[in-house]
């Protein structure tokens, strides 16, 4: 996995007033409620026009707490978190994980031996996938993100791009528009994942392909366990501090229900080393990955944090004093149906049984003798 050692130097001076908390510690800052003003993007920094689309239903859903599992995340808060992270003096300092996964998604695009005339990047951030693509793979790319400040930081690429500010849950495109849709580390914050998959399937042309990556259920299990044990010991109970993630089996089922076929879902792990738990939380905040669940606990007590850091070090620490943070990644590929696509043979049409195939090795060995 990616190995990265972070400096333990404090960075309190660059936090906005609404982010300050009583204790000057990165973990407290990461747990605080993000907010602050953000201006409406009218023109991207590279000179490309950036369009803004917000569905009325999306604004309403994000403005008030949802009902249980149907709306677990505060989408307005997540937008503020991503906008705040993009405005930091060195936002690229925290892009190492997204760039790594974006490159792996791009590799899967190159594995398909064709050129895609028009592609869409859902939850593009600053263009973590686009920077690895070229004109031989994609001729034109639409980049969509809910955070306008992230689109201001989009990286230069040889592919002509169009930036669109829109909620990933409500794609403002017509049916059968794109030959390729990609997404990297964005869909785990979507409230209605089945609907998001259906919308991606809808905007794809027949024989179009969706290639995506999202965090899996084992992501940050070290941090989750340490915080839970510390809260149980210090406060007699625990609250969720890590957002819920989708199971790998559910991803395949949801893609199938959305209409995709010829599915491929695989999982991988990336492990990053940090000086301590506080640096893990600081980097998560810098990535815009702070928790935005409606049932989150807004404040972590100082004693609980110190206990969690000690537990993290004791249970998972390395000999050199660093601690690991594990990120589980699901990679998914799904195709939109077209008559010309190759399809599996009908059930019962086989002419050779698996039992006969098992005897081939014995038959070949006898021939050699």
């Amino acid at each position: 996995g990616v190995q990265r050692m972070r400096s333990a130097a404090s960075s309190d001076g660059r936090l906005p007033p609404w982010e300050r908390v009583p204790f000057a510690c990165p973990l407290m800052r990461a747990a605080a409620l993000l907010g602050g003003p953000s201006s409406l993007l009218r023109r991207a920094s590279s000179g490309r026009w950036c369009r803004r689309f917000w569905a009325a239903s999306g604004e309403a859903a994000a403005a008030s707490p949802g009902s249980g599992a149907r709306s677990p995340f505060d989408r307005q808060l997540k937008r503020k978190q991503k906008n705040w992270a993009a405005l930091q003096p060195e936002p690229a300092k925290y892009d190492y994980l997204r760039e790594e996964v974006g490159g792996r998604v791009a590799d899967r695009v190159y594995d398909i031996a064709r050129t895609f005339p028009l592609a869409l990047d859902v939850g593009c951030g600053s263009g973590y996938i686009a920077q690895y693509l070229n004109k031989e793979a994609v001729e034109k790319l639409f980049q969509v993100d809910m955070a306008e400040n992230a689109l201001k930081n989009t990286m230069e690429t040889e592919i002509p791009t169009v930036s669109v500010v829109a909620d990933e849950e409500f794609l403002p495109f017509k049916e059968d528009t794109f030959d390729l849709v990609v997404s990297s580390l964005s869909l785990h914050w979507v409230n209605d994942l089945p609907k998001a998959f259906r919308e991606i399937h809808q905007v794809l042309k027949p024989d179009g392909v969706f290639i995506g990556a999202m965090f899996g259920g084992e992501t940050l299990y070290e941090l989750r366990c340490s915080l839970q044990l510390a809260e149980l010991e210090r406060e007699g109970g625990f609250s969720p501090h890590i957002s819920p993630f989708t199971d790998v089996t559910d991803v395949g089922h949801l893609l199938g229900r959305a209409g995709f076929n010829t599915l491929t879902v695989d999982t991988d792990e990336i492990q990053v080393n940090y000086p301590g738990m506080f640096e893990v939380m600081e980097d998560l905040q810098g990535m815009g990955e702070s928790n935005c669940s409606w049932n989150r606990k807004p404040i972590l007590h100082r004693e609980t944090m110190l206990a969690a850091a000690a537990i993290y070090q004791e249970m998972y620490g390395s000999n050199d004093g660093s601690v690991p943070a594990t990120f589980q990644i699901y990679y998914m590929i799904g195709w939109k149906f077209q008559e010309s696509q190759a399809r599996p043979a009908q059930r019962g049409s086989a002419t050779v049984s698996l039992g006969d195939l098992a005897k081939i090795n014995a038959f070949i060995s006898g021939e050699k003798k």
Side-chain angles (χ1 to χ4, degrees):
V2 178
Q3 301 296 322
R4 182 175 182 270
M5 296 299 295
R6 289 275 291 109
S7 171
S10 176
S11 57
D12 296 341
R14 55 187 175 86
L15 284 173
W18 57 84
E19 186 61 12
R20 301 199 180 278
V21 291
F23 303 104
C25 144
L27 183 53
M28 284 293 286
R29 297 200 304 270
L33 185 66
L34 296 177
S38 60
S39 59
L40 175 64
L41 176 64
R42 294 302 183 186
R43 192 173 181 86
S45 58
S46 60
R48 294 166 294 179
W49 283 104
C50 184
R51 304 171 189 174
R52 179 186 178 94
F53 294 93
W54 285 100
S57 56
E59 293 282 2
S64 59
S67 56
R70 291 201 50 145
S71 183
F73 304 122
D74 183 348
R75 295 287 292 174
Q76 289 289 2
L77 175 59
K78 176 50 57 182
R79 177 171 168 260
K80 291 179 181 179
Q81 291 173 350
K82 295 177 71 174
N83 274 325
W84 179 88
L87 285 178
Q88 297 313 295
E90 297 178 285
K93 176 182 177 182
Y94 305 102
D95 288 345
Y96 52 91
L97 183 63
R98 295 185 183 278
E99 289 183 354
E100 175 69 20
V101 177
R104 298 186 184 189
V105 173
D107 288 341
R108 286 163 170 79
V109 175
Y110 287 118
D111 288 339
I112 302 174
R114 69 168 68 173
T115 299
F116 299 97
L118 188 61
L120 170 67
D121 187 353
V122 177
C124 64
S126 59
Y128 305 109
I129 301 176
Q131 63 176 326
Y132 296 103
L133 300 175
N134 55 36
K135 291 183 178 179
E136 285 71 28
V138 174
E139 294 180 353
K140 187 175 182 180
L141 178 66
F142 276 72
Q143 295 178 302
V144 170
D145 200 278
M146 67 188 300
E148 57 268 24
N149 291 333
L151 292 174
K152 291 180 181 179
N153 299 333
T154 50
M155 308 173 193
E156 292 295 331
T157 175
E158 64 180 68
I159 304 172
T161 60
V162 178
S163 297
V164 179
V165 182
D167 195 324
E168 298 96 327
E169 293 187 338
F170 305 94
L171 298 178
F173 303 105
K174 295 181 180 180
E175 188 175 356
D176 300 339
T177 300
F178 298 98
D179 305 278
L180 166 70
V181 176
V182 294
S183 179
S184 179
L185 302 186
S186 172
L187 295 176
H188 59 286
W189 291 119
V190 169
N191 277 318
D192 194 343
L193 190 58
K195 179 179 181 295
F197 283 153
R198 289 195 300 270
E199 291 213 358
I200 291 174
H201 182 271
Q202 181 176 345
V203 301
L204 274 173
K205 293 179 180 178
D207 199 34
V209 60
F210 166 60
I211 303 177
M214 62 186 296
F215 285 123
E218 296 301 315
T219 297
L220 297 174
Y221 70 87
E222 303 99 338
L223 179 60
R224 183 186 300 113
C225 291
S226 299
L227 288 172
Q228 289 179 356
L229 290 173
E231 280 194 300
L232 281 172
E233 192 269 331
R234 295 301 172 96
E235 302 178 30
F238 64 87
S239 301
H241 297 287
I242 309 297
S243 67
F245 295 107
T246 307
D247 189 76
V248 65
T249 55
D250 295 332
V251 172
H253 294 157
L254 293 177
L255 287 170
R257 286 173 52 189
F260 290 99
N261 57 42
T262 320
L263 297 174
T264 302
V265 180
D266 61 283
T267 180
D268 194 10
E269 287 187 354
I270 298 176
Q271 190 175 91
V272 186
N273 287 343
Y274 297 87
M277 188 189 75
F278 296 150
E279 286 74 22
V280 176
M281 297 299 294
E282 183 182 6
D283 273 25
L284 290 174
Q285 186 185 30
M287 296 176 192
E289 290 294 326
S290 299
N291 191 6
C292 70
S293 301
W294 286 111
N295 62 348
R296 67 190 180 279
K297 186 177 181 179
I299 296 296
L300 283 171
H301 297 292
R302 183 180 183 181
E303 294 77 11
T304 302
M305 291 188 301
L306 294 175
I311 293 172
Y312 202 130
Q313 183 67 46
E314 180 66 25
M315 292 181 62
Y316 306 106
S318 304
N319 294 331
D320 60 0
S322 64
V323 296
T326 301
F327 299 89
Q328 186 181 39
I329 314 295
Y330 298 154
Y331 297 95
M332 60 203 101
I333 301 177
W335 294 81
K336 188 169 183 177
F337 175 77
Q338 189 187 47
E339 287 293 336
S340 61
Q341 288 178 342
R343 294 189 292 274
Q346 293 184 355
R347 187 178 181 87
S349 62
T351 57
V352 179
S353 69
L354 292 176
D356 293 335
L357 292 175
K359 300 176 183 177
I360 291 179
N361 289 334
F363 176 77
I364 293 177
S365 299
E367 288 290 324
K368 289 182 178 178
K369 293 178 181 179

